[in-house]
Amino acid sequence: LINRLTINETYFFREPEHIDLLVNVLIPQRQAASDDRPIRILSAGCSSGEEPYSIVMALIERFGEAALAEFRVIGGDIDSQVLAKAKKGCYNEFSFRGVSVERRHRFFDRVNGVFQLKEAVRQQVSFHELNLFAPTMTTELRQFDVIFFRNVSIYFDTPTRKIIQQQLIRLLTDQGVLLIGSAETLANDLGVLSLVEQKGVFYFTKTANHSLAPKI
């Protein structure tokens, strides 16, 4: 039933300003204050994988493949069918609305009429079932430096968005950042998280009292 109800509209490099902010601003800031642990990035509501894979491709372009050991990219979704598709990494033309020809040639192989991500990219994303209403989360789904939760909250009413934000707070590190779709920003400024603008892009962070929120 969950698989039938979920909406899975996505494509590579959707709203690229968020990815640009990640690789050019947010990650360098965290590297400067590094505690030598990998920077953890979650794509919540990752659907068929285009978003987390876009993040990996951008990381490779900015920092090189050798630097990928410094990052952990996780894709999470409640829909088991799209997660199975994401793990295969095979896509058609519909997913390439935001991909240049150069990127397509660099990161994909043409296999049996579809485009498959090269293994070097696929192996950099770990996919997990993620239910943001679950009372607890596994260890792998905690302590994220950056969470992408874009174009998902539009399907929920305001009380539900508040509940989800309280859950996301518990998945973030104390200095963590939550990126929400550009069209969703004002609708998600609910007093749960602090709204920040940087380089013309808006995102949310924890406020001081949230550092004491109970862990899950």
Side-chain angles (χ1 to χ4, degrees):
L1 177 61
I2 288 174
N3 291 350
R4 289 183 177 273
L5 289 175
T6 51
I7 298 171
N8 298 301
E9 164 69 12
T10 186
Y11 50 91
F12 290 106
F13 289 94
R14 187 179 186 180
E15 296 189 72
E17 63 272 14
H18 291 137
I19 297 176
D20 291 341
L21 183 75
L22 173 73
V23 299
N24 295 318
V25 179
L26 298 178
I27 285 178
Q29 286 176 347
R30 276 150 183 76
Q31 288 175 325
S34 176
D35 56 5
D36 294 325
R37 67 174 181 80
I39 294 172
R40 292 173 52 79
I41 304 165
L42 171 66
S43 170
C46 71
S47 187
S48 45
E50 285 92 332
E51 181 173 84
Y53 286 136
S54 295
I55 292 169
V56 171
M57 286 186 272
L59 291 173
I60 291 173
E61 289 173 343
R62 175 67 172 80
F63 302 102
E65 289 191 35
L68 288 177
E70 300 175 15
F71 307 99
R72 295 288 183 273
V73 180
I74 310 294
D77 202 283
I78 197 170
D79 187 329
S80 60
Q81 289 182 345
V82 294
L83 287 176
K85 178 181 177 180
K87 292 174 183 178
K88 292 179 181 178
C90 293
Y91 301 94
N92 57 32
E93 293 284 350
F94 186 77
S95 295
F96 287 94
R97 284 169 281 173
V99 180
S100 66
V101 173
E102 292 77 14
R103 277 175 171 160
R104 189 183 302 197
H105 288 163
R106 179 176 181 182
F107 294 111
F108 295 85
D109 294 314
R110 193 69 181 264
V111 179
N112 298 325
V114 298
F115 294 92
Q116 183 170 41
L117 272 162
K118 294 183 182 293
E119 185 178 358
V121 179
R122 283 185 282 129
Q123 68 184 5
Q124 294 301 321
V125 182
S126 174
F127 291 99
H128 300 267
E129 288 195 29
L130 172 63
N131 180 358
L132 288 173
F133 296 99
T136 59
M137 297 287 175
T138 64
T139 302
E140 186 63 20
L141 295 174
R142 304 179 190 177
Q143 291 295 296
F144 290 101
D145 299 285
V146 181
I147 295 178
F148 282 71
F149 185 63
R150 304 188 302 167
N151 305 298
V152 180
S153 69
I154 55 176
Y155 301 108
F156 301 111
D157 60 16
T158 299
T160 304
R161 290 175 188 174
K162 286 186 176 181
I163 294 171
I164 292 173
Q165 286 190 14
Q166 290 288 354
Q167 288 284 67
L168 292 172
I169 283 171
R170 296 178 173 92
L171 304 186
L172 284 168
T173 62
D174 288 344
Q175 304 302 316
V177 166
L178 174 65
L179 289 162
I180 291 180
S182 298
E184 306 170 281
T185 301
L186 293 179
N188 282 281
D189 190 10
L190 305 172
V192 179
L193 294 154
S194 297
L195 184 61
V196 178
E197 182 273 335
Q198 195 165 8
K199 301 289 186 180
V201 181
F202 290 90
Y203 58 87
F204 290 92
T205 63
K206 288 185 176 184
T207 52
N209 62 324
H210 291 143
S211 64
L212 300 177
K215 304 297 183 183
I216 58 175

